[in-house]
Structures are given as C-alpha cells and as structure tokens.
Amino acid sequence: MTDHPAPAAQTEPLRFETDRGASRSIWIAVALVVALIGWMGSGIIFPGEAPAAETAAEDPPPPSVMVTRSAAEPVTLSFRAEGQALPDRDTDVIAETAGTVIEMPFAKGDRVAPGDLLARLNSSRAEAALAQARAQRLNAQREFDNATQLFDRGVATRDRLSEARAALATAEADVASAEEAMENLVVEAPFAGRIETLPASQGEYVQSGSTIARIVDNDPLTVAIQVPQQALSRISEGQTAQVNFITGQTREGRVSFVGAAAASETRTFLTEIEVTNPGGEIPAGISAQVTIPTGDATAHRVTPSIISLDESGQLGVKTVEDGHVAFYPIEIVKTEIDSVWVTGLVEQAEIITVGQGFVRDGEEVRSQHAEGETQEDTESSAIPQALAEDQP
C-alpha cells in the first residue's frame, strides 16, 4: 500500500485592518479648510457696512510772516572812500656845487623856517675861482677899451673890436658863474617844515647834485582818494569833508582838487582833500577815511538781512499790503555798520522781517507784529527765529 503524504494545511491570506484613529487628522484638516472658505465667502454673502466717506481735504491756511512798521526819515547822503594822507610839500634839498660841509646847525627832526641855513660848504676854491674870473674880466675890459679907442681913431678894424667885445662878455659870464657858485656854498631851507632825513654830515665832501636834507611840510595835509565814475557828479571842489585818520584823530577838510581824467586801470578819478594840521601833529602817509556829504533824501533804515532779490535779480524789500506780499525795488543810498538806508518804498510800510524768503510777490499771507517794539527790537529778535526756522 502506497503511502501518500498528508495534504498540507491551507495558509490564510494576509489582511490589513485600518486603525480607526488614523484618519482623524484628515477630517480635522478638511473641516478647517471648509471653515476658512466659509469665512472668506461671508463678505460676499453678507456684505458689511460701507466705509464712511473720506473727509474732504481743507485748504491750508496762508503762511505767516512777521512784519515791522517803518516810516521814511530824512537822511543826509554822503560819499565815503579810503585814502592816504600826503604832505603838502616833500622836497630833497640838493647841493648845487661841490665842496666840503663845514657847518650844519640843524639835526634830523628839527623844524626849520624858510631861508634857514641847512649846510655851509668850504669856500676856498670858489673864492679863488671868483678872484680869477674877476681878474680876467678886468683884463678883457682893458682890451675892449683899447680896441674901442683905436677903432675911433681909425687904426683898429671892426673885427678886432668885435673880438674884444666877445672876450669881455665871456669874462663877465665867468664872473657871474663864480659868484653863483659862491652863493651855492650856502644851502638854505626852501620852505618851512621838518627835517626828515640828513644824508650829509659835517666834514663830508659832497658832489654837485648830492642830497643835503629832506624837508617835509605837513601843514596842510592832503588826503588823496579815488572817486568812481558813478559818483563823480556828486563831488565838486569846495565841498566840506570829514576825515577820520587811522590814529583816531578827526579833522574837517575841504575838497581842493577833482581830477578831470580817469585812471585807465581803475576808471576812478583822483580827488584831494586839504586838511589843516597845525604843528604837523598828524603824520603823513597814514590811512584815512573820508566822508563827503552830497545831499539829502527821504529813506527807510533797514537791516541788510531783509533785502532780497526778485526773479530778475533786482534788489528789493518785501512788505505786506492788504494781506498780500508786495515787492518794492530799492536803491541803497547810505550804509552804516549794522543797517542801510534805502529809497523806493512807500512812506509808511510794513516790512517783512521773518519769512520773506518763503513768500512771493502777490501771495496772501498772515502778518504778525509785536506791538510796542521799535523797528530795531523787532528785527533783532526776529533774525534768530528766522535762522532757527531755516534749519532743516
């Protein structure tokens, strides 16, 4: 009997069962998506209230400026220029003959009068020359007298008489020259003044043409200035002038000369002011400021900081009239240390002192004015504020 193997037991197929909690996260995500979509769609299905209408923009108020009241005042116009004080006369006294200095009674710095002796030269050579010239003249005179007598008797010719006359004239010229040389041995002061330098000294031999002394006359002084061609018509001879010297001294002078031809380099005219200087108290060569009154005008006194330019480059001042900016072209007629006088404004004006750089001609503005303050107080307090407003 054949044994058959017993049939193997049948194997059951594998089965995977899903965990009941594994799908929970998926359902939560789906629910969130549905809720989000519903919330986003709620604005369409249930629209909210319409936003309030935007408030209409209001027009900005006009800019504010500070003003000061200014009234025109009479002012004396003047021309000012820097100049130099020059002596009335400044001369080198020259020796007109050669010789040794034997006498010099004055020293450097002394004052002399016209004709005072400055130096005396040795006269020995000049005296000998004069004696020789006189002897030659005497001899020539005798020759001329003899020639004249012989000519009158018909013995001498006219040519001999002419030669004798010529020799006599030459001898007389030599005598005159020798006498002049004797006079030139004495060197005198040509005018009153102060001895500024004494190049020569006693015992020194000087040549003809050497400088013996330099004399300066400081009374009166002449202050030389240059006047530009624009102001020449306002300057004339005889006008009074105030001269302030750099030493602090002040003198009143008179215009003594106005040039008729301009300097080619500067187009200015030389003008001289004569100033009395008794005793030479003010030295020559120092600087001076000259002020010449040239007339009167009615002008406003303002600070330079409020002057501005219009679009064409014209200098002017901005004022407020009926709540609007008004620009007035001006002309500067006088300058001072901290202010200027200008013409071109109305007699009574409200001048903008703060904010003039931010407004234009014709623009509406609001003006503020500190009552009870003078023009100087208003402007001095306004300038720092303006500087602060200009800072970024």
Side-chain angles (χ1 to χ4, degrees):
M1 169 172 190
T2 304
D3 292 331
H4 293 279
Q10 277 188 330
T11 304
E12 293 183 0
L14 296 175
R15 292 184 304 176
F16 297 93
E17 293 182 0
T18 302
D19 187 1
R20 292 175 117 182
S23 61
R24 185 179 304 169
S25 60
I26 297 175
W27 288 107
I28 292 174
V30 170
L32 291 175
V33 171
V34 172
L36 180 62
I37 294 174
W39 175 76
M40 294 177 62
S42 64
I44 301 174
I45 301 173
F46 304 103
E49 296 180 0
E54 296 183 0
T55 305
E58 298 180 357
D59 293 334
S64 177
V65 295
M66 183 173 289
V67 299
T68 183
R69 295 187 181 93
S70 176
E73 303 176 25
V75 60
T76 300
L77 306 183
S78 60
F79 171 79
R80 291 183 179 179
E82 298 290 335
Q84 183 180 13
L86 304 175
D88 184 51
R89 289 174 290 187
D90 186 346
T91 301
D92 289 334
V93 182
I94 305 298
E96 299 183 15
T97 187
T100 301
V101 179
I102 61 175
E103 183 182 2
M104 294 191 74
F106 290 100
K108 183 169 62 176
D110 291 344
R111 299 195 65 84
V112 295
D116 282 351
L117 176 67
L118 296 178
R120 187 188 304 276
L121 306 183
N122 189 352
S123 61
S124 57
R125 290 188 180 183
E127 289 175 353
L130 178 58
Q132 181 181 4
R134 286 174 176 174
Q136 290 177 350
R137 183 181 64 178
L138 184 59
N139 185 46
Q141 185 67 50
R142 276 197 303 265
E143 289 293 332
F144 177 71
D145 292 341
N146 292 336
T148 301
Q149 292 176 3
L150 292 175
F151 180 78
D152 291 341
R153 288 184 296 181
V155 177
T157 63
R158 184 178 295 277
D159 290 341
R160 182 183 176 184
L161 180 60
S162 298
E163 291 175 359
R165 182 182 291 110
L168 178 60
T170 301
E172 289 177 345
D174 291 341
V175 171
S177 179
E179 291 175 347
E180 184 179 0
M182 281 291 297
E183 294 175 357
N184 291 337
L185 293 174
V186 177
V187 182
E188 298 177 345
F191 51 81
R194 183 176 184 266
I195 298 178
E196 194 71 14
T197 59
L198 271 177
S201 58
Q202 189 169 343
E204 179 182 355
Y205 181 83
V206 295
Q207 297 286 348
S208 176
S210 300
T211 299
I212 298 297
R214 177 189 170 199
I215 299 180
V216 176
D217 181 13
N218 280 359
D219 187 17
L221 280 176
T222 299
V223 180
I225 61 174
Q226 297 293 332
V227 177
Q229 52 189 348
Q230 298 89 342
L232 184 64
S233 60
R234 298 159 51 193
I235 309 299
S236 60
E237 295 181 7
Q239 285 179 305
T240 59
Q242 184 179 12
V243 182
N244 296 319
F245 295 95
I246 197 171
T247 55
Q249 298 159 299
T250 301
R251 293 288 188 277
E252 185 173 307
R254 179 183 63 85
V255 178
S256 59
F257 173 80
V258 178
S264 57
E265 300 84 2
T266 59
R267 298 297 177 186
T268 57
F269 294 80
L270 173 64
T271 301
E272 296 180 349
I273 292 88
E274 185 177 286
V275 180
T276 58
N277 187 28
E281 179 183 358
I282 302 174
I286 63 175
S287 300
Q289 184 182 64
V290 178
T291 303
I292 304 175
T294 58
D296 299 322
T298 301
H300 290 259
R301 182 174 180 267
V302 300
T303 57
S305 60
I306 69 172
I307 297 177
S308 57
L309 298 173
D310 64 1
E311 296 178 354
S312 63
Q314 174 71 43
L315 281 176
V317 171
K318 293 176 181 178
T319 65
V320 175
E321 294 182 359
D322 298 330
H324 292 79
V325 178
F327 181 85
Y328 283 93
I330 61 168
E331 179 183 357
I332 299 176
V333 295
K334 184 178 180 180
T335 60
E336 296 180 351
I337 296 177
D338 57 351
S339 61
V340 293
W341 293 86
V342 300
T343 59
L345 297 172
V346 294
E347 185 174 355
Q348 299 286 339
E350 289 196 349
I351 300 175
I352 301 177
T353 57
V354 176
Q356 70 271 18
F358 304 97
V359 294
R360 295 184 177 183
D361 186 21
E363 184 177 352
E364 184 181 359
V365 293
R366 293 176 299 156
S367 61
Q368 299 179 1
H369 181 78
E371 295 294 340
E373 290 186 347
T374 62
Q375 177 176 343
E376 290 81 7
D377 294 335
T378 302
E379 293 172 352
S380 61
S381 62
I383 292 175
Q385 182 179 351
L387 294 176
E389 293 178 356
D390 290 342
Q391 297 298 326

